[in-house]
Amino acid sequence: MAEKQPTTSTSEPPSVAALSLAETATEDPKKAAVEQEINPWDVNAATDENGNVLAFDYEAVSRKWNTKLIDDALLERFERVTGAKPHRWLRRGLFFSHRDLDLILNYYEQGRPFFLYTGRGPSSDSMHVGHTVPFEFTKWLQDVFDVPLVIMLTDDEKALFKENLTFEETMQCARDNAKDIIAIGFDLKKTFIYSDLKFIGYNGGHMMLNAWEFSKLVTFNQVRGAFGFDGSTNTGRIFFPMFQCVAAFATSYPEIWGDDPNSDFRNKKTAQIPCLIPCGIDQDPYFRLVRENSHRMKHPVPKPALIHSKFLTSLQGAGGKMSASIPNSAIFMSDTPKQIQKKINSHAFSGGQETVELHREKGGNPDIDVAYQYITYFEEDDEKIKKLRDGYKAGEILTGEMKKECIRLMQEYVKGFQERRAKVTDEILKSYMAPRKLEWKGNPNPKKPEKKEAEKK
Ligand code: TRP
């Protein structure tokens, strides 16, 4: 197939920071001229010697950071233990990597308590599909496991990392974003959403105390190693990771467990409740820090488990990441049906041939076709996906038809979101953001831990 460049490319040139990481590029002539760069604040795909943006190499990240890839055996076990068919984003590899998910499945199987923890750096931009997908997935996990969920809104982080944003502004963003998150459909009884700036230090400061104790265990070298800080980094940025880390400790939320924040201050038993963190792979550095140090807390905390997602492809195609500041890179949750149609028709990178005749003759490439990619994100029916894929390759399905299907799915998804969002009042917001005892059931049929062979005899 003739090589084809994106007709519409808004992908940015690699940043200076990414360029400086190219030092190993000369060792191997096949290596990309600029390596991919993934950290919590900067995500850039690799580029080749000619400056072409390459797709992210997720297996390489997993290898480098020593995470485990999610394989069929784990998904089978997931289904056996929970009775739920793995979500399409698991089946199709959007959530591709994990740490200790198998241990969380053991916890669930035995009916032992655990909780879910995820978050968002609040910004004034409307959320796009790339933002809502991790939350949709978290909601699914919450429904399957029936466990408490905490959602951290890092308004502190955003103000520290964005020169032009004040703390007051990011605090307001947190409230607005929380409404968007509520519109995903989380169960109020099991969900606590909080703004860092409002919650940390609240009611005796249990989370603050966790952060202080944790900070005493973590050196500047460790933080610098994880995040690449240097001597000119503001000190807020250096301390902030402590909060994102201790948010994984159950004792940061005594209210949830019904502990008395005054007498049960950082309850020892509560400390033993682990969490599972669904997050983009770029957030992993925080949680490595937790996993390396949590057992050293006064009341030791088990290592948090993680389940990592890839980045959703931008409309411009592989190597691009949906970006809130580039309107045509993503479908936004505030887009009208018309805007969605227009964006996909004129900006979605196509894996089809230049002309209909050529396409009929040679067929298209679904793997680089953005409309097809988006369909795989939202169409539940595996059979239907296969038909689209095979039909596209055979030249039977044209780019226009693929895009039409994609437009329909995206319009439907965004419409459902907007309808729910319109119903989220200030009152509802307040109820989700109130620290309180949560109610959940966990596994309805837990299994007693099996005795080891030796013990049976
Ligand atoms: N730092 C994240 C962001 O900027 C927000 C966040 C906080 C988060 N805690 C998390 C994301 C846990 C995933 C999981 O988006």
Side-chain angles (χ1 to χ4, degrees):
M1 204 189 78
E3 210 155 297
K4 208 173 154 213
Q5 291 298 314
T7 43
T8 48
S9 175
T10 45
S11 58
E12 292 168 300
S15 73
V16 179
L19 283 169
S20 67
L21 281 166
E23 66 256 1
T24 50
T26 47
E27 287 168 17
D28 176 354
K30 285 194 296 299
K31 231 178 209 165
V34 180
E35 285 190 42
Q36 62 187 2
E37 155 92 353
I38 297 178
N39 70 54
W41 303 290
D42 232 335
V43 173
N44 288 297
T47 50
D48 67 13
E49 305 79 14
N50 303 319
N52 299 314
V53 181
L54 305 177
F56 286 104
D57 184 345
Y58 291 103
E59 288 191 16
V61 192
S62 168
R63 262 196 315 276
K64 185 167 167 197
W65 289 353
N66 226 339
T67 74
K68 293 220 172 79
L69 294 175
I70 294 175
D71 57 17
D72 290 344
L74 184 60
L75 291 186
E76 272 161 34
R77 179 161 157 70
F78 187 99
E79 183 158 359
R80 225 176 317 121
V81 172
T82 64
K85 181 176 174 182
H87 194 282
R88 59 181 186 277
W89 294 333
L90 283 169
R91 304 200 299 275
R92 296 174 195 159
L94 185 58
F95 283 79
F96 73 107
S97 148
H98 76 104
R99 296 184 188 274
D100 289 344
L101 180 58
D102 40 339
L103 295 186
I104 286 292
L105 290 176
N106 291 348
Y107 264 73
Y108 180 79
E109 192 169 39
Q110 296 162 13
R112 296 168 70 187
F114 65 95
F115 68 107
L116 290 163
Y117 156 42
T118 191
R120 163 168 165 82
S123 78
S124 59
D125 311 288
S126 160
M127 301 229 293
H128 56 58
V129 174
H131 296 132
T132 57
V133 158
F135 286 110
E136 296 278 356
F137 185 69
T138 304
K139 172 179 155 43
W140 179 80
L141 286 174
Q142 184 188 44
D143 292 344
V144 167
F145 289 131
D146 195 350
V147 291
L149 159 68
V150 298
I151 299 175
M152 173 187 222
L153 298 170
T154 54
D155 39 14
D156 46 358
E157 174 188 27
K158 275 287 157 169
L160 288 163
F161 282 85
K162 296 270 176 204
E163 289 306 335
N164 55 352
L165 278 180
T166 67
F167 288 90
E168 286 82 358
E169 282 164 345
T170 56
M171 232 190 297
Q172 183 54 45
C173 293
R175 289 174 57 82
D176 296 340
N177 286 189
K179 287 187 173 176
D180 289 341
I181 292 168
I182 290 167
I184 304 282
F186 294 103
D187 185 340
L188 173 62
K189 288 204 198 80
K190 296 181 248 178
T191 308
F192 172 47
I193 305 178
Y194 64 97
S195 128
D196 282 3
L197 292 171
K198 288 252 171 71
F199 175 69
I200 298 171
Y202 163 93
N203 205 8
H206 30 267
M207 188 164 181
M208 193 71 216
L209 190 63
N210 274 336
W212 285 124
E213 194 191 319
F214 192 71
S215 75
K216 205 171 158 183
L217 305 173
V218 177
T219 65
F220 178 52
N221 276 341
Q222 277 178 291
V223 174
R224 187 175 48 190
F227 303 109
F229 296 150
D230 63 33
S232 67
T233 305
N234 74 46
T235 47
R237 292 185 189 185
I238 296 166
F239 193 72
F240 165 75
M242 301 303 109
F243 295 127
Q244 182 155 337
C245 287
V246 302
F249 297 170
T251 52
S252 290
Y253 321 97
E255 301 86 356
I256 290 182
W257 318 103
D259 292 340
D260 175 350
N262 299 312
S263 62
D264 284 337
F265 208 67
R266 296 197 304 154
N267 184 297
K268 188 172 177 181
K269 227 175 123 210
T270 302
Q272 292 162 7
I273 303 173
C275 71
L276 170 63
I277 310 172
C279 63
I281 185 74
D282 57 311
Q283 298 293 310
D284 187 71
Y286 285 106
F287 304 119
R288 290 205 294 274
L289 216 53
V290 187
R291 289 172 55 89
E292 280 160 21
N293 295 291
S294 62
H295 65 281
R296 298 166 63 211
M297 293 291 284
K298 181 179 116 199
H299 298 321
V301 174
K303 289 186 197 324
L306 293 149
I307 178 159
H308 303 112
S309 75
K310 298 177 181 171
F311 310 118
L312 264 71
T313 308
S314 71
L315 280 166
Q316 285 68 39
K321 187 180 170 249
M322 292 186 185
S323 166
S325 50
I326 308 173
N328 285 330
S329 71
I331 303 299
F332 286 79
M333 302 316 286
S334 55
D335 282 348
T336 62
K338 261 229 137 62
Q339 280 173 316
I340 294 175
Q341 182 185 32
K342 190 152 180 270
K343 270 188 194 176
I344 293 172
N345 277 335
S346 43
H347 296 283
F349 182 70
S350 165
Q353 304 292 345
E354 294 293 345
T355 65
V356 173
E357 290 71 36
L358 260 183
H359 191 88
R360 293 270 186 232
E361 185 192 324
K362 296 190 171 171
N365 181 356
D367 294 324
I368 58 167
D369 192 274
V370 170
Y372 173 77
Q373 295 301 317
Y374 284 17
I375 292 171
T376 67
Y377 295 153
F378 288 98
E379 173 59 58
E380 181 60 38
D381 187 347
D382 291 342
E383 254 321 290
K384 192 163 171 190
I385 300 250
K386 190 172 179 305
K387 274 198 191 130
L388 285 171
R389 183 182 176 81
D390 293 347
Y392 203 55
K393 276 180 155 170
E396 288 153 13
I397 291 170
L398 299 175
T399 295
E401 292 165 316
M402 191 70 94
K403 286 194 168 179
K404 203 169 149 206
E405 186 58 26
C406 173
I407 290 165
R408 187 185 66 76
L409 278 168
M410 298 311 297
Q411 286 176 336
E412 195 180 288
Y413 175 63
V414 172
K415 182 165 169 259
F417 174 87
Q418 289 174 356
E419 283 167 3
R420 292 189 304 272
R421 176 66 173 82
K423 295 194 192 119
V424 183
T425 60
D426 284 339
E427 209 49 44
I428 292 177
L429 174 70
K430 218 167 132 191
S431 57
Y432 277 90
M433 298 189 81
R436 68 208 183 279
K437 191 169 187 313
L438 296 182
E439 293 166 47
W440 69 95
K441 296 199 185 70
N443 185 347
N445 302 303
K447 219 164 104 180
K448 290 269 159 292
E450 254 175 54
K451 286 209 172 109
K452 295 204 188 85
E453 281 308 308
E455 289 173 38
K456 282 188 197 157
K457 280 172 200 158

